[in-house]
Amino acid sequence: MSAAPPVIAIDGPTASGKGTIAERVAGSLGFHYLDSGALYRLLAWRALADGVRTDDGPALAAVASALEPRFRAGRVELDGVDVTDAIRREEIGRAASQVAVHPAVRQALLDLQRARRRPPGLVADGRDMGTVVFPDACLKVYLTASVAARAERRHKQLIEKGFPANIDLLSQELRARDQRDSERTASPLKPAEDAYQLDSSGLAIDEVVAQVLDWYARRDEG
Ligand code: DC
């Protein structure tokens, strides 16, 4: 196992800034980057397009096993269609959280996630990177932020992509998503026991990135 490329796991609730931080940390170390939430979003998008219900675990698991996304230069394609922006819509995020409760779906997406662990290393963000997918990650970070800070960030993200957004509705949506993601029995959202916890509400992106890089540099000091 010691020969396996290193993994930095960054978990946390939706809109906590995980994606931005993970991408920058990966860029800074020259590591690969896995946005595991994108896989659940891709599945949700495909299921909605094919008329598969979000409560039909076995059918969703079959769709998940056949997913062949192509990640290239910050874009993602599914069956030749660029769905990078489409999967960022709020209704896809909500459906992603619904399809993610099924154990068979999570199992079906495991290989796709673990296959991304390649030299020289991987930064993976999601809900269960440190607890289930990469329990042997050499650094685990659990990133949080207040609902207000997260709603503001998500609002900015959606407006920038040209999608309609309302802060109050987004706050309600974030709370509902937190509740579903942390109360499910299969790989619920929770910090790994050995995770460093960081509240990014009052911090700039650069400060959070610097903190994660510092923890990585000192990972063996224990
Ligand atoms: O991080 P995100 O908002 O893009 O994730 C969308 C949904 O996917 C999230 O609400 C729950 C699910 N998800 C998951 O269950 N496990 C992961 N590792 C990543 C995402």
Side-chain angles (χ1 to χ4, degrees):
M1 255 343 246
S2 58
V7 175
I8 299 178
I10 303 187
D11 288 305
T14 196
S16 58
K18 312 178 297 296
T20 310
I21 303 303
E23 228 178 335
R24 298 233 186 148
V25 169
S28 164
L29 294 170
F31 280 13
H32 300 282
Y33 165 55
L34 166 66
D35 169 6
S36 64
L39 298 177
Y40 290 91
R41 286 171 180 269
L42 286 166
L43 171 60
W45 184 86
R46 163 60 68 222
L48 292 182
D50 291 354
V52 176
R53 291 168 48 127
T54 55
D55 61 358
D56 188 345
L60 290 166
V63 178
S65 305
L67 275 187
E68 286 187 19
R70 279 193 64 168
F71 292 92
R72 227 181 0 177
R75 314 288 305 173
V76 54
E77 279 181 16
L78 203 55
D79 303 326
V81 180
D82 185 328
V83 294
T84 317
D85 293 331
I87 62 167
R88 291 293 139 202
R89 300 185 81 108
E90 263 316 275
E91 65 264 32
I92 299 295
R94 186 181 322 125
S97 163
Q98 290 165 348
V99 303
V101 304
H102 302 289
V105 163
R106 308 198 69 84
Q107 184 63 35
L109 291 178
L110 262 188
D111 289 349
L112 214 49
Q113 296 173 81
R114 291 191 174 143
R116 303 288 287 281
R117 181 179 200 165
R118 292 193 215 117
L122 176 72
V123 183
D125 88 61
R127 305 293 187 288
D128 59 346
M129 299 297 97
T131 50
V132 176
V133 181
F134 302 110
D136 62 335
C138 65
L139 173 65
K140 299 178 186 177
V141 178
Y142 190 81
L143 200 61
T144 54
S146 66
V147 169
R150 290 158 54 207
E152 218 167 277
R153 287 176 193 166
R154 179 54 51 82
H155 186 261
K156 188 161 169 266
Q157 234 177 30
L158 290 169
I159 297 291
E160 275 169 9
K161 289 194 184 299
F163 296 141
N166 168 297
I167 290 262
D168 293 335
L169 289 178
L170 282 172
S171 303
Q172 281 174 28
E173 179 64 33
L174 288 178
R175 286 202 178 87
R177 204 110 83 73
D178 286 352
Q179 194 173 359
R180 193 183 304 110
D181 292 350
S182 25
E183 289 181 356
R184 69 182 181 219
T185 42
S187 311
L189 167 67
K190 63 161 191 226
E193 273 177 24
D194 46 350
Y196 288 94
Q197 299 200 33
L198 184 61
D199 184 331
S200 71
S201 308
L203 299 175
I205 291 171
D206 288 349
E207 292 176 295
V208 181
V209 170
Q211 175 64 80
V212 175
L213 288 172
D214 187 53
W215 279 329
Y216 181 69
R218 297 158 180 264
R219 65 196 176 284
D220 295 327
E221 285 177 12

